[in-house]
Each structure stands twice: as structure tokens, then as C-alpha cells.
Amino acid sequence: MRVGRALWRTLCRVCGIVGYVGEQPALDVVLEGLRRLEYRGYDSAGVALVADGALASAKAAGKLANLEKVLSGDPMPAATTGLGHTRWATHGPPTDRNAHPHLDRAGQVALIHNGIIENFAVLRRELEAAGVTLVSDTDTEVAAHLLAAEVAAGAELADALRRVCRRLDGAFTLVAVHAGSPDRVVAARRNSPLVVGLGDGENFVASDVAAFIAHTRDALEVGDGQVVEITPDSVTLTDFEGDPVEEKRYHVDWDISAAQKDGYDFFMLKEIAEQPKAVADTLLGRVDEAGNLTLDEMRLSDDELRDIDKIIIIAAGTSYYAGLVAKYAIEHWTRIPCEVELASEFRYRDPIVGRRTLVVVISQSGETMDTLMALRHAREQGARVLAICNTNGATIPRESDAVLYTRAGIEVAVASTKAFLTQIVACYLVALYLGQIRGTKWGDEIAAVLRDLSAMPPKIAEVLRAMDPVRELARSLASTTSVLFLGRHVGYPVALEGALKLKEIAYMHAEGFAAGELKHGPIALVEQDVPVFVVVPSPRGRSVLHDKIVSNIQEVRARGARTIVIAEEGDEAVVPYADHIVRVPQCPTLLQPLLAVVPLQVFACEMAAARGFDVDQPRNLAKSVTVE
Ligand code: F6R
């Protein structure tokens, strides 16, 4: 079957990229780096080395093990300069031929790439007209030929790369080596991640610090539109014009063990278990001695924030659902109207955005292209942009006016879990901060919410300790074909998130609904024994909401549904209508998503495992989506 370009595009994710120059065997360093990036998902891999004035390269479709098999049959020469790549197909199917690196005709240049070169067709025609035969279906190969031509015309390697970058449209990270430059790796980025690892007598470039963290924790940011050249003893950073740019170095404060599974079967399980700590860390140090909420990373002045008359939250996937939860708290605490918008829709609907709009972009990775493009659009319209992000120094926080980092730690599993909880917490901190400076919340009210938030980590841990029946339930439902999720108020986005988790890792039909919408259509889906999760708000304080959802449970049960009710301790009203009850500790309704989503994460994880699927790397998905 032929797969159309549109589908290949939707499949494009961040490729794994590593470049090395130093004293160690480059092949070992590069392969180890690629292994550390495996969690991102990929469908082919390749390496290139510079040895004795020539290039050696090898590539293979499939997992790294396939490449290693090729290498064991045909060993590469010893070398201390090299690069490696794990590819997610964009242009052309995942074959040996389309795997990176791509070489020029004379075998002088090897180049790897993440992203999409949008004007590749024009460039390809130009190369073909000049007599170059392209051997792959990729957009990347044109860059390899262009680079080789620039070097052949006399440009020094980094300058040649700058010239090529100036000709490319689209998003890219490029890394290249040249046969005539044994101690040199050059790299460039535009709207695609790239970071430098600074070693002693060795240097690295990579799409993610995980690739080199076993060697060094000192890193250097490569900004958008910049080219970097590394040798064993130097790092030179310029813009695409060749002008030097200011270096921003930083220290990576997590270690390699953070990227391991710590004894859990899956990263996802480990990350679910880390949620109490992730929430606690995100709350750490946010209150000064006077009891005022302080958000140190905020670079917007209080006056600017007092001026805000509308908030638009923009995000994708799970981060979008965190935004939907946050809307309830933001409007309640600040009385500022808040819209929540899918990043991929935002800039195509002529949104009403102005100087008094605060756009809050939420992104775990900080590299999601839909969100980045929405952010840029918002800034062009004059909005102030605050990023909530889990990845230090990523593109989205770098391009925002202010940043609040969630402190979830590295999230490896493709299905987002701990990021979701910390995103909600971060949004709540922003809401409280706005409430504080705008005077819509008294200091003691803010202090009370902060106390409630600080009480959440042990409550999340309590939910986690009681998950065995949920796992058992998942196993017993492994052959089910469809699961529905219902919620009201903040429970509604939790229902959506529960359904998303099940779809993405257990490949099961799952849908989340606002429980009140059931009667307007979705109730027709309810048939005998279909499992229906219901997220029930606390009966304390919001009894109308609670009563309404109890009626909804009765409605679906009367039609044969198997009801799985998530309700707080002491809520007895749901007991008669629940086939299964999952208890969560009592807490204010606005904070309940931090507890109620946990059983849904665990259910999805166990379901995926029971159905024999790859929990951490689900099909067609990977961690960071860097194309629109
Ligand atoms: C779902 C999931 C995705 C991401 C979405 C946004 O489990 O991981 O839906 O939430 O792709 O990613 P970030 O937050 O990195 O912008």
C-alpha cells in the first residue's frame, strides 16, 4: 500500500540526533547516545564516521539492533568524529535507502536532519537539472548535496552549512561531517531542537541532553537560526549570516538514572509513581517569607498583568486538557475571561488577540510545533505570552515573555502523565498570582489554596497505593472494544484525558463526554456491559453538580453499562449505582483532577500491557511533535 505524503507528515516526530568529536571511539559514543534517545520513537537508524580522510557510513530500517547487526557484519573503521540518527519517516517510507545519514555523490559529506525542508522539491529539481542523481525519497538528501557543492566551491564547512541554511525553508536541525575535516562536526537549527554538550577534550551535539548526559552535564543552548561548529577543544556559535552570537551555557541537573526505568516495567508506570514528587517539586519555593506567592521565572511586570482583560490558554493533547481544567480555576479566582484553544486551530480562525490578552501556552516538551506557531501568532498580534513548560531552555519558553517551569523531571513515556498534573498545578499558581496582584483573592484565601495544594502529594500517593483493583479490572476488561468516560465541571477534562490515554496506548475505542451531554446523543452508544468510567465531584460544597452526575450514572446503568465510579471517600450516594468504586481522598473540587486522573492513567497502562502493546512507545506516536 502506498502511503500518501499527508500521512507521512502527520507521522513526523523528533528524530534522534547525535554528533561527537573527541578522543573516544565515536561509534560507541554515537550508538550509546542514540540508545538514550530511543524513547522518542523511530523507524530507522544510521551512523557516519570520519576516518583517515574518508567517510564510512551504515544505516538500516527498523530498530538500532538492525543497525548493530549490519555493523557486526561489516565493521566500521576506528574514528573519533561521527554522527548518528534515528529517523521518523517524513518524506519517503522507512527503508534503508531513506534512513539518514545522506551522503553526496562523491561521499565527502554526511548529513542528518530532523524536521521538514519545505522547498525541497524546488531544490531537488535544481540539483537534478545540474546533473545530480538523488538516490532517496527524502527532503534531507538535497541538503547533503547542497552542502557538498558549497564545500567543493571553496567554502569552509561551517560557512557552507550557513549558506545552505539560508536557502532552506521549513524547520530543521542539521548535523554534518566532511571527509576532509576529521575533527569537526557542524550543526544548525531552525524551529527544531539542538543542544551542545561541553566536555573536556570532546564535544557533542544532540537533539536532547539525554544523548550525552553520561559524558557531561554542561550544555550550551543553540538558538533558532544559529550554526554551531564543534571540535574537541572549541565550540563556535554564529547566526546563519556568520555573525557571532552570545553563548548561553547551563548545567543539566538531572542524571542518567532519571532516564532509566528504576525497576518499573515501563517508564509510564515509573512516571505515574513519580507524580506526588512532581507536584511537590512544582510547588516548591513559591511563597516568600512574607507569605506572598512569588513566581521567580515571571518576567512580566505586575502592572502588565493587572492590565490583562482576557486569557487564552493554547496547547495540544494532554496539555490542552490541563488547560481545560485550569480554565475553571482561573475564571473562579481571577474573574478574567479565559478561553482554551487547541494550538492547531488557533491561528487559522482569526482569533481576537491584543495587547491586553495574556496567552498561556502549555507544553511539556516545549517543542510542539502547533503550539510554537500559535505562540508566534499571538505575539505578532501583540499578546503577552506566558509559557508553562517542563523542558528547560526549549524553544517555546525561549520565545515567550515569561515562563513558569513545571518540575516534573524528564518524561520518557510517550503518554504524558506527570506532566499533566504539574501543568494543572502551574496554571493554578499563575491564577493565584493573578488573583493576588489584581486583588480578586485575599492573602488568606490564597494561603488556604496553597495549603490545599501542598496537601495533594500525599493524597496522590494514597491513590497510588490503592491501585491493585484498578489493574485487576483493566486485565478483566482486556477484550472490551469500547470504554466511555463521563465527567462534569473539572471532571469533564479528566474524562477526556482518561479516554485519550486509553486510545493512545491500548488502541481501544474510548470517548470522554461532559456527562450532561449524554442525553444529547452519546447515550446511544451505551449498550450491555460497556464499561463507563464516571468522575464524580465531591458532594460537599457542590451538591447540585454531584446530584446531577449521580443521575447520569443511573441513566447509563439503566441501559446496561458497567459503571466504574471514581468518587471521594465518604460519598455513599454513588454506591447503589456503581459496579466498581475507586475511592480518592477528599479535597476541594478544583483540585480533584490531580487525584481522579491517576486511576485512569493506571487503567490505561495496565490495559495496554494486558493487550500486549508497547506501553512506552505506542504505534504512530512519539514524544515530541515538531511539525504542524
Ligand atoms: C498524550 C500526549 C500528547 C501531548 C501533546 C502536546 O499523552 O503526550 O497529547 O500532550 O502532543 O505535547 P507537549 O505538551 O509536549 O506540547
Side-chain angles (χ1 to χ4, degrees):
M1 188 184 79
R2 224 183 115 70
V3 181
R5 167 136 318 135
L7 179 56
W8 287 117
R9 270 176 182 251
T10 62
L11 295 179
C12 177
R13 308 288 165 142
V14 174
C15 304
I17 279 183
V18 191
Y20 175 75
V21 55
E23 288 170 358
Q24 303 188 59
L27 182 62
D28 296 350
V29 176
V30 162
L31 285 176
E32 180 201 351
L34 292 180
R35 235 171 266 122
R36 303 255 183 237
L37 299 177
E38 271 197 298
Y39 67 85
R40 290 164 171 271
Y42 63 99
D43 49 34
S44 61
V47 288
L49 303 175
V50 186
D52 305 326
L55 286 182
S57 81
K59 40 198 202 171
K63 295 285 176 191
L64 276 173
N66 295 0
L67 176 64
E68 283 164 334
K69 211 148 98 201
V70 171
L71 292 173
S72 66
D74 186 9
M76 296 183 91
T80 55
T81 302
L83 48 76
H85 187 266
T86 44
R87 170 177 189 251
W88 264 100
T90 55
H91 295 74
T95 57
D96 291 359
R97 192 167 54 86
N98 287 332
H100 302 203
H102 290 282
L103 275 64
D104 66 305
R105 230 177 346 178
Q108 291 294 293
V109 159
L111 179 138
I112 55 180
H113 165 225
N114 171 53
I116 289 180
I117 297 169
E118 285 181 344
N119 57 338
F120 93 102
V122 177
L123 296 170
R124 189 178 175 112
R125 278 198 296 278
E126 179 188 309
L127 286 163
E128 283 169 346
V132 177
T133 310
L134 287 98
V135 295
S136 75
D137 309 319
T138 66
D139 51 342
T140 306
E141 192 186 346
V142 299
H145 292 292
L146 291 175
L147 185 63
E150 293 290 354
V151 176
E156 165 279 323
L157 186 57
D159 196 38
L161 184 60
R162 284 187 282 268
R163 286 164 191 257
V164 172
C165 290
R166 295 201 292 265
R167 299 202 57 201
L168 304 181
D169 294 337
F172 50 83
T173 298
L174 298 170
V175 181
V177 288
H178 187 269
S181 302
D183 293 326
R184 208 164 298 267
V185 175
V186 292
R189 73 172 285 250
R190 181 196 286 152
N191 295 336
S192 175
L194 175 67
V195 60
V196 176
L198 302 165
D200 189 8
E202 60 183 358
N203 286 305
F204 308 77
V205 287
S207 46
D208 187 321
V209 293
F212 55 68
I213 195 141
H215 302 277
T216 180
R217 294 215 213 158
D218 292 319
L220 175 78
E221 276 181 22
V222 180
D224 223 19
Q226 294 180 0
V227 168
V228 66
E229 177 184 80
I230 57 169
T231 71
D233 307 306
S234 69
V235 174
T236 313
L237 200 60
T238 69
D239 60 20
F240 285 175
E241 300 303 320
D243 295 323
V245 290
E246 199 193 328
E247 287 188 3
K248 285 193 199 137
R249 295 179 181 230
Y250 62 101
H251 189 72
V252 182
D253 52 13
W254 50 267
D255 61 22
I256 196 69
S257 72
Q260 309 297 323
K261 289 183 202 154
D262 279 355
Y264 288 92
D265 289 345
F266 315 110
F267 278 110
M268 185 177 173
L269 271 183
K270 171 175 173 270
E271 287 159 10
I272 290 172
E274 284 169 351
Q275 293 184 118
K277 181 172 184 310
V279 167
D281 286 352
T282 301
L283 287 166
L284 256 178
R286 306 292 192 188
V287 181
D288 67 15
E289 290 103 34
N292 288 319
L293 193 59
T294 55
L295 302 173
D296 292 341
E297 302 101 324
M298 284 286 250
R299 292 188 297 267
L300 287 170
S301 73
D302 286 359
D303 278 343
E304 283 172 297
L305 290 174
R306 271 187 211 105
D307 199 36
I308 295 302
D309 66 2
K310 176 161 93 167
I311 294 174
I312 305 181
I313 299 179
I314 301 175
T318 290
S319 301
Y320 169 71
Y321 295 147
L324 286 181
V325 172
K327 173 186 163 78
Y328 292 86
I330 290 174
E331 291 194 333
H332 185 58
W333 292 336
T334 70
R335 309 310 297 153
I336 307 172
C338 176
E339 298 167 13
V340 190
E341 178 97 29
L342 284 170
S344 54
E345 290 292 319
F346 178 70
R347 69 185 173 127
Y348 301 105
R349 67 158 177 99
D350 192 14
I352 301 166
V353 180
R355 214 181 43 77
R356 299 182 67 194
T357 311
L358 177 67
V359 166
V360 178
V361 287
I362 309 177
S363 175
Q364 187 284 131
S365 62
E367 300 291 351
T368 301
M369 186 57 76
D370 286 324
T371 311
L372 179 61
M373 289 304 169
L375 176 167
R376 287 181 180 163
H377 185 74
R379 289 197 78 195
E380 277 161 18
Q381 308 295 308
R384 276 128 181 159
V385 177
L386 163 71
I388 290 179
C389 183
N390 195 41
T391 312
N392 221 291
T395 310
I396 286 174
R398 277 216 309 271
E399 294 202 10
S400 298
D401 297 302
V403 188
L404 183 62
Y405 282 110
T406 48
R407 300 184 186 133
I410 186 171
E411 197 179 59
V412 174
V414 167
S416 188
T417 53
K418 58 181 180 170
F420 179 69
L421 268 68
T422 58
Q423 287 165 345
I424 293 172
V425 169
C427 286
Y428 283 12
L429 289 173
V430 171
L432 290 174
Y433 187 76
L434 289 171
Q436 176 177 291
I437 59 166
R438 294 164 66 97
T440 51
K441 274 265 168 220
W442 297 106
D444 55 347
E445 290 174 312
I446 293 174
V449 178
L450 286 172
R451 267 197 307 278
D452 289 336
L453 276 167
S454 328
M456 294 310 283
K459 293 185 185 190
I460 300 165
E462 198 180 321
V463 176
L464 285 166
R465 280 193 295 274
M467 283 300 92
D468 280 349
V470 173
R471 286 194 192 97
E472 209 173 293
L473 180 67
R475 288 193 293 271
S476 73
L477 293 174
S479 55
T480 303
T481 50
S482 179
V483 181
L484 306 180
F485 296 77
L486 306 180
R488 278 180 180 260
H489 193 262
V490 286
Y492 167 42
V494 171
L496 295 173
E497 172 63 2
L500 177 64
K501 287 284 93 80
L502 204 56
K503 281 181 238 193
E504 63 181 333
I505 59 171
Y507 316 150
M508 203 174 232
H509 172 248
E511 287 202 57
F513 300 107
E517 276 295 293
L518 261 193
K519 56 188 176 297
H520 299 292
I523 200 160
L525 287 171
V526 176
E527 57 187 6
Q528 195 59 37
D529 289 334
V530 67
V532 180
F533 277 87
V534 189
V535 181
V536 178
S538 168
R540 300 163 301 112
R542 286 177 197 265
S543 54
V544 181
L545 207 59
H546 180 267
D547 294 350
K548 288 255 167 9
I549 207 152
V550 172
S551 306
N552 298 137
I553 306 174
Q554 293 177 51
E555 280 159 21
V556 291
R557 200 158 188 259
R559 287 158 180 84
R562 182 163 171 180
T563 56
I564 307 156
V565 174
I566 300 175
E568 72 170 32
E569 301 288 354
D571 179 354
E572 296 307 317
V574 294
V575 174
Y577 316 110
D579 292 305
H580 307 268
I581 296 193
V582 183
R583 290 291 185 189
V584 294
Q586 294 186 352
C587 71
T589 299
L590 283 172
L591 306 194
Q592 204 209 34
L594 302 175
L595 305 178
V597 77
V598 175
L600 306 185
Q601 298 167 336
V602 171
F603 181 81
C605 190
E606 192 67 31
M607 182 67 93
R611 287 159 69 91
F613 299 133
D614 185 337
V615 172
D616 289 331
Q617 290 183 28
R619 70 185 179 204
N620 303 344
L621 296 174
K623 193 62 190 162
S624 187
V625 188
T626 57
V627 288
E628 278 187 277

mmCIF file of all heavy atoms in Angstrom, residues 259-283:
data_model
loop_
_atom_site.group_PDB
_atom_site.id
_atom_site.type_symbol
_atom_site.label_atom_id
_atom_site.label_comp_id
_atom_site.label_asym_id
_atom_site.label_seq_id
_atom_site.Cartn_x
_atom_site.Cartn_y
_atom_site.Cartn_z
ATOM 1 N N ALA A 259 16.759 8.783 33.530
ATOM 2 C CA ALA A 259 16.273 8.302 32.237
ATOM 3 C C ALA A 259 16.137 6.775 32.216
ATOM 4 O O ALA A 259 15.908 6.181 31.185
ATOM 5 C CB ALA A 259 17.196 8.773 31.125
ATOM 6 N N GLN A 260 16.269 6.171 33.319
ATOM 7 C CA GLN A 260 16.103 4.708 33.377
ATOM 8 C C GLN A 260 14.764 4.368 34.028
ATOM 9 O O GLN A 260 14.119 5.231 34.601
ATOM 10 C CB GLN A 260 17.242 4.081 34.179
ATOM 11 C CG GLN A 260 18.622 4.503 33.753
ATOM 12 C CD GLN A 260 18.952 4.093 32.331
ATOM 13 O OE1 GLN A 260 18.558 3.029 31.899
ATOM 14 N NE2 GLN A 260 19.655 4.941 31.613
ATOM 15 N N LYS A 261 14.410 3.116 34.014
ATOM 16 C CA LYS A 261 13.068 2.774 34.499
ATOM 17 C C LYS A 261 12.985 2.505 36.002
ATOM 18 O O LYS A 261 11.895 2.264 36.525
ATOM 19 C CB LYS A 261 12.569 1.536 33.751
ATOM 20 C CG LYS A 261 12.241 1.815 32.319
ATOM 21 C CD LYS A 261 11.679 0.576 31.651
ATOM 22 C CE LYS A 261 11.864 0.672 30.164
ATOM 23 N NZ LYS A 261 11.942 -0.604 29.503
ATOM 24 N N ASP A 262 14.124 2.529 36.667
ATOM 25 C CA ASP A 262 14.114 2.340 38.122
ATOM 26 C C ASP A 262 13.338 1.106 38.572
ATOM 27 O O ASP A 262 12.614 1.143 39.578
ATOM 28 C CB ASP A 262 13.498 3.570 38.811
ATOM 29 C CG ASP A 262 14.500 4.694 38.955
ATOM 30 O OD1 ASP A 262 15.676 4.479 38.616
ATOM 31 O OD2 ASP A 262 14.086 5.773 39.406
ATOM 32 N N GLY A 263 13.458 0.064 37.838
ATOM 33 C CA GLY A 263 12.825 -1.175 38.286
ATOM 34 C C GLY A 263 11.373 -1.331 37.863
ATOM 35 O O GLY A 263 10.787 -2.398 38.013
ATOM 36 N N TYR A 264 10.760 -0.270 37.338
ATOM 37 C CA TYR A 264 9.376 -0.414 36.850
ATOM 38 C C TYR A 264 9.393 -1.106 35.492
ATOM 39 O O TYR A 264 10.365 -1.021 34.756
ATOM 40 C CB TYR A 264 8.714 0.961 36.714
ATOM 41 C CG TYR A 264 8.401 1.595 38.043
ATOM 42 C CD1 TYR A 264 9.309 2.441 38.656
ATOM 43 C CD2 TYR A 264 7.203 1.334 38.693
ATOM 44 C CE1 TYR A 264 9.034 3.021 39.886
ATOM 45 C CE2 TYR A 264 6.921 1.903 39.918
ATOM 46 C CZ TYR A 264 7.834 2.744 40.510
ATOM 47 O OH TYR A 264 7.559 3.303 41.726
ATOM 48 N N ASP A 265 8.286 -1.764 35.172
ATOM 49 C CA ASP A 265 8.217 -2.434 33.872
ATOM 50 C C ASP A 265 8.224 -1.429 32.728
ATOM 51 O O ASP A 265 8.709 -1.708 31.645
ATOM 52 C CB ASP A 265 6.933 -3.271 33.776
ATOM 53 C CG ASP A 265 7.012 -4.492 34.665
ATOM 54 O OD1 ASP A 265 8.134 -4.828 35.098
ATOM 55 O OD2 ASP A 265 5.961 -5.093 34.936
ATOM 56 N N PHE A 266 7.631 -0.276 32.974
ATOM 57 C CA PHE A 266 7.509 0.725 31.913
ATOM 58 C C PHE A 266 7.848 2.101 32.465
ATOM 59 O O PHE A 266 7.598 2.376 33.638
ATOM 60 C CB PHE A 266 6.077 0.789 31.362
ATOM 61 C CG PHE A 266 5.486 -0.552 31.102
ATOM 62 C CD1 PHE A 266 4.458 -1.030 31.899
ATOM 63 C CD2 PHE A 266 5.968 -1.354 30.083
ATOM 64 C CE1 PHE A 266 3.920 -2.276 31.672
ATOM 65 C CE2 PHE A 266 5.436 -2.605 29.853
ATOM 66 C CZ PHE A 266 4.412 -3.073 30.649
ATOM 67 N N PHE A 267 8.357 2.962 31.605
ATOM 68 C CA PHE A 267 8.583 4.348 32.013
ATOM 69 C C PHE A 267 7.262 4.969 32.479
ATOM 70 O O PHE A 267 7.222 5.755 33.409
ATOM 71 C CB PHE A 267 9.143 5.168 30.844
ATOM 72 C CG PHE A 267 10.626 5.001 30.667
ATOM 73 C CD1 PHE A 267 11.138 4.319 29.577
ATOM 74 C CD2 PHE A 267 11.505 5.544 31.583
ATOM 75 C CE1 PHE A 267 12.502 4.165 29.412
ATOM 76 C CE2 PHE A 267 12.874 5.404 31.421
ATOM 77 C CZ PHE A 267 13.376 4.702 30.330
ATOM 78 N N MET A 268 6.178 4.596 31.791
ATOM 79 C CA MET A 268 4.901 5.231 32.134
ATOM 80 C C MET A 268 4.522 4.944 33.586
ATOM 81 O O MET A 268 4.075 5.833 34.307
ATOM 82 C CB MET A 268 3.805 4.755 31.183
ATOM 83 C CG MET A 268 2.493 5.480 31.416
ATOM 84 S SD MET A 268 1.258 4.964 30.229
ATOM 85 C CE MET A 268 -0.193 5.795 30.876
ATOM 86 N N LEU A 269 4.750 3.696 34.011
ATOM 87 C CA LEU A 269 4.439 3.337 35.400
ATOM 88 C C LEU A 269 5.314 4.123 36.368
ATOM 89 O O LEU A 269 4.850 4.603 37.398
ATOM 90 C CB LEU A 269 4.696 1.851 35.623
ATOM 91 C CG LEU A 269 3.554 0.893 35.346
ATOM 92 C CD1 LEU A 269 3.985 -0.523 35.688
ATOM 93 C CD2 LEU A 269 2.318 1.278 36.178
ATOM 94 N N LYS A 270 6.592 4.217 36.011
ATOM 95 C CA LYS A 270 7.529 4.960 36.854
ATOM 96 C C LYS A 270 7.076 6.425 36.963
ATOM 97 O O LYS A 270 7.078 7.017 38.045
ATOM 98 C CB LYS A 270 8.923 4.875 36.232
ATOM 99 C CG LYS A 270 9.963 5.755 36.863
ATOM 100 C CD LYS A 270 11.326 5.488 36.240
ATOM 101 C CE LYS A 270 12.368 6.453 36.723
ATOM 102 N NZ LYS A 270 12.478 7.653 35.911
ATOM 103 N N GLU A 271 6.648 6.953 35.839
ATOM 104 C CA GLU A 271 6.272 8.366 35.834
ATOM 105 C C GLU A 271 4.958 8.614 36.567
ATOM 106 O O GLU A 271 4.777 9.647 37.210
ATOM 107 C CB GLU A 271 6.248 8.863 34.384
ATOM 108 C CG GLU A 271 7.686 8.988 33.891
ATOM 109 C CD GLU A 271 7.875 8.976 32.389
ATOM 110 O OE1 GLU A 271 6.875 9.063 31.651
ATOM 111 O OE2 GLU A 271 9.035 8.860 31.944
ATOM 112 N N ILE A 272 4.052 7.627 36.492
ATOM 113 C CA ILE A 272 2.813 7.738 37.281
ATOM 114 C C ILE A 272 3.178 7.754 38.770
ATOM 115 O O ILE A 272 2.660 8.551 39.551
ATOM 116 C CB ILE A 272 1.860 6.561 36.953
ATOM 117 C CG1 ILE A 272 1.297 6.714 35.535
ATOM 118 C CG2 ILE A 272 0.729 6.463 37.971
ATOM 119 C CD1 ILE A 272 0.506 5.510 35.030
ATOM 120 N N ALA A 273 4.124 6.877 39.130
ATOM 121 C CA ALA A 273 4.531 6.785 40.542
ATOM 122 C C ALA A 273 5.248 8.041 41.013
ATOM 123 O O ALA A 273 5.259 8.349 42.204
ATOM 124 C CB ALA A 273 5.428 5.559 40.737
ATOM 125 N N GLU A 274 5.850 8.755 40.081
ATOM 126 C CA GLU A 274 6.602 9.964 40.459
ATOM 127 C C GLU A 274 5.703 11.183 40.681
ATOM 128 O O GLU A 274 6.187 12.267 41.014
ATOM 129 C CB GLU A 274 7.609 10.308 39.353
ATOM 130 C CG GLU A 274 8.822 9.396 39.354
ATOM 131 C CD GLU A 274 9.676 9.567 38.101
ATOM 132 O OE1 GLU A 274 9.247 10.259 37.151
ATOM 133 O OE2 GLU A 274 10.767 8.995 38.061
ATOM 134 N N GLN A 275 4.397 10.998 40.474
ATOM 135 C CA GLN A 275 3.530 12.191 40.480
ATOM 136 C C GLN A 275 3.480 12.942 41.810
ATOM 137 O O GLN A 275 3.482 14.173 41.801
ATOM 138 C CB GLN A 275 2.129 11.818 39.977
ATOM 139 C CG GLN A 275 2.220 11.430 38.502
ATOM 140 C CD GLN A 275 0.911 11.123 37.816
ATOM 141 O OE1 GLN A 275 0.528 11.784 36.878
ATOM 142 N NE2 GLN A 275 0.214 10.105 38.280
ATOM 143 N N PRO A 276 3.485 12.243 42.951
ATOM 144 C CA PRO A 276 3.487 13.030 44.195
ATOM 145 C C PRO A 276 4.696 13.960 44.260
ATOM 146 O O PRO A 276 4.575 15.143 44.613
ATOM 147 C CB PRO A 276 3.558 11.949 45.289
ATOM 148 C CG PRO A 276 2.972 10.725 44.651
ATOM 149 C CD PRO A 276 3.376 10.798 43.209
ATOM 150 N N LYS A 277 5.853 13.454 43.869
ATOM 151 C CA LYS A 277 7.074 14.267 43.920
ATOM 152 C C LYS A 277 7.017 15.396 42.872
ATOM 153 O O LYS A 277 7.423 16.529 43.141
ATOM 154 C CB LYS A 277 8.292 13.372 43.678
ATOM 155 C CG LYS A 277 9.593 14.126 43.729
ATOM 156 C CD LYS A 277 10.786 13.189 43.688
ATOM 157 C CE LYS A 277 12.103 13.909 43.834
ATOM 158 N NZ LYS A 277 12.320 15.046 42.992
ATOM 159 N N ALA A 278 6.520 15.052 41.702
ATOM 160 C CA ALA A 278 6.460 16.062 40.633
ATOM 161 C C ALA A 278 5.591 17.244 41.071
ATOM 162 O O ALA A 278 5.944 18.408 40.851
ATOM 163 C CB ALA A 278 5.916 15.428 39.355
ATOM 164 N N VAL A 279 4.460 16.929 41.700
ATOM 165 C CA VAL A 279 3.569 18.003 42.159
ATOM 166 C C VAL A 279 4.245 18.790 43.280
ATOM 167 O O VAL A 279 4.250 20.029 43.280
ATOM 168 C CB VAL A 279 2.210 17.413 42.623
ATOM 169 C CG1 VAL A 279 1.398 18.444 43.395
ATOM 170 C CG2 VAL A 279 1.427 16.927 41.409
ATOM 171 N N ALA A 280 4.859 18.071 44.223
ATOM 172 C CA ALA A 280 5.533 18.752 45.339
ATOM 173 C C ALA A 280 6.650 19.649 44.808
ATOM 174 O O ALA A 280 6.787 20.805 45.230
ATOM 175 C CB ALA A 280 6.085 17.712 46.313
ATOM 176 N N ASP A 281 7.435 19.142 43.875
ATOM 177 C CA ASP A 281 8.539 19.939 43.329
ATOM 178 C C ASP A 281 8.027 21.193 42.616
ATOM 179 O O ASP A 281 8.644 22.254 42.683
ATOM 180 C CB ASP A 281 9.367 19.110 42.334
ATOM 181 C CG ASP A 281 10.237 18.080 43.051
ATOM 182 O OD1 ASP A 281 10.295 18.123 44.293
ATOM 183 O OD2 ASP A 281 10.846 17.235 42.361
ATOM 184 N N THR A 282 6.917 21.043 41.922
ATOM 185 C CA THR A 282 6.385 22.190 41.170
ATOM 186 C C THR A 282 5.897 23.285 42.122
ATOM 187 O O THR A 282 5.905 24.468 41.784
ATOM 188 C CB THR A 282 5.274 21.713 40.207
ATOM 189 O OG1 THR A 282 5.853 20.745 39.326
ATOM 190 C CG2 THR A 282 4.695 22.840 39.379
ATOM 191 N N LEU A 283 5.525 22.875 43.336
ATOM 192 C CA LEU A 283 5.052 23.858 44.318
ATOM 193 C C LEU A 283 6.184 24.483 45.132
ATOM 194 O O LEU A 283 6.007 25.516 45.778
ATOM 195 C CB LEU A 283 4.087 23.171 45.298
ATOM 196 C CG LEU A 283 2.700 22.829 44.750
ATOM 197 C CD1 LEU A 283 1.983 21.859 45.679
ATOM 198 C CD2 LEU A 283 1.877 24.105 44.569
#
